[in-house]
Amino acid sequence: MRVLAADHVLPISSEPITNGAVAIDGDKIARVGDRTTIESDFPDARVEDFGEAAILPGFVNCHSHLELTAMRGALDDVEHDFRSWLLKVQGLRSAMTDPDIEAAAIAGAREGAAAGATCFGDIGRNGEAGLNALKTVGVRGILFQETEFSPDNRTADEDFAKLGAKFEELKKEETELVRVGLSPHSTYTVSSRLFELIAHYAILNGISLTIHAAEARDEMALLTKGDGFFTEVYQRFGLEWQSPHCTPIEYLERLGVLSTRPLLAHCVKVSDSDIAKIAANGASIAHCPKSNAKFGHGYAPFEKILDAGISVGLGSDSVASNNVCDLIEEARFAALAARNLSGSKRFISAKDVLEATTLGGARAMGLDHLIGTLERGKQADIAVVSLEYQAQQPVSDVEAALIFSSNARDVRSTIVAGTVIYERT
């Protein structure tokens, strides 16, 4: 039994506590409250006093590509051109060996943990590398095995058989902390039949899915008009693909994919009707504002998504498209971008994005029964952020101090299931 104490404790499910404490028994939270009461109730517990700091739930990174960590900065010369970026990233990935990919994934997971992330929704083409990385670093998460490039219905059965075999092998390596899901990559790289096969398989077996959706202009041109870059690629390689002439979200609903309640990454280019369909189907969203801005894709309508009651968390995407894995910085950017979006009706607050970084992310990944808040009985997944630096003082509003005055370098400790996986000395 031990007690973590600090000037501020943020349960997220309730108001911040001044001079608070969290009692931890093994891998679970035993109690949350004011320090005096907690120390009185657990007199034999070891007390760790962090002083000028905030104790809060560990950050949930809903959308990452840890195996691309070695590509940081390598694609910045094509960041203005999504098509060139996609082609170059595939070339760089093909040159990496399996040990290279695993080393990159481990480095990415360590970077995220040092920034307070205790849970990842990580997408990996080489699923074993990502799975091993999450386990090696000690973070919680879901490793989503990604599909290969497979937009042609004629190969769907074969593509599904290969994907299923990969998934079943990875499934054997699951742990209490790390689960395995599937990622049909996107509406422009997966055939309609393969989508249907994956959706059916996921529903029957209770498998979590995540999909890149409504992210880019080229995707919208393909889905709604049947033209643009991707059509040219299909024609060049002799692939058969017919445009549904609808939005990506409408397409996923037609195929029955939305009924699996997938985690949809990006959703930059969604209409009010799309948002209503996402909400009605109980799907969730991984909001990645920095990556979207870097590509010039635009901003997802974060305010509308929240107001629709959709579970939404934040994602760093890969450091090949964001450059850093820092959920505090991502949350700050999410708030500022939302406030600056045309048609905004209210200011997205520090509290709003702090919730998205913790409980919202946990809900989006279907893990809110375990993590996302500091409450008795939940897993002790915790981040401790220092508030002692001049640029953070004075702390008149702790939530604002965390979001608008802090960054990854202020994280002092990251704890998963009661075990310290990162500590700044």
Side-chain angles (χ1 to χ4, degrees), residues 231-390:
T231 298
E232 296 169 12
V233 172
Y234 300 156
Q235 291 172 348
R236 187 185 312 164
F237 290 97
L239 300 171
E240 289 186 1
W241 200 90
Q242 292 185 335
S243 173
H245 293 279
C246 65
T247 72
I249 301 305
E250 290 170 340
Y251 182 53
L252 293 174
E253 185 178 56
R254 287 183 193 177
L255 296 176
V257 179
L258 278 193
S259 64
T260 69
R261 305 181 68 183
L263 173 59
L264 303 171
H266 303 299
C267 291
V268 174
K269 302 184 181 301
V270 288
S271 64
D272 290 348
S273 175
D274 289 333
I275 292 171
K277 291 179 189 302
I278 293 168
N281 282 277
S284 57
I285 293 175
H287 181 39
C288 308
K290 284 186 62 191
S291 173
N292 298 150
K294 191 174 182 188
F295 283 123
H297 290 327
Y299 298 116
F302 186 47
E303 179 185 324
K304 287 185 176 181
I305 290 167
L306 285 177
D307 292 347
I310 296 168
S311 295
V312 55
L314 298 182
S316 65
D317 211 335
S318 74
V319 299
S321 61
N322 185 344
N323 294 71
V324 294
C325 185
D326 180 348
L327 265 288
I328 297 177
E329 183 175 299
E330 199 75 38
R332 176 164 55 251
F333 194 86
L336 299 179
R339 292 180 180 191
N340 205 38
L341 196 63
S342 176
S344 174
K345 293 182 173 58
R346 63 183 175 92
F347 260 22
I348 291 295
S349 67
K351 185 182 182 69
D352 289 331
V353 291
L354 193 59
E355 180 170 326
T357 313
T358 53
L359 178 57
R363 284 174 175 157
M365 291 182 61
L367 298 174
D368 52 303
H369 61 297
L370 295 174
I371 60 171
T373 61
L374 301 181
E375 295 181 88
R376 184 175 184 174
K378 282 201 170 182
Q379 289 283 294
D381 287 16
I382 295 169
V384 182
V385 181
S386 173
L387 296 170
E388 64 188 5
Y389 297 107
Q390 185 64 40

Side-chain angles (χ1 to χ4, degrees), residues 59-81:
F59 305 140
V60 180
N61 189 338
C62 287
H63 184 71
S64 66
H65 295 268
L66 296 177
E67 64 183 32
L68 301 186
T69 301
M71 298 181 195
R72 190 194 324 262
L75 297 104
D76 284 357
D77 60 332
V78 294
E79 64 189 41
H80 64 285
D81 184 343

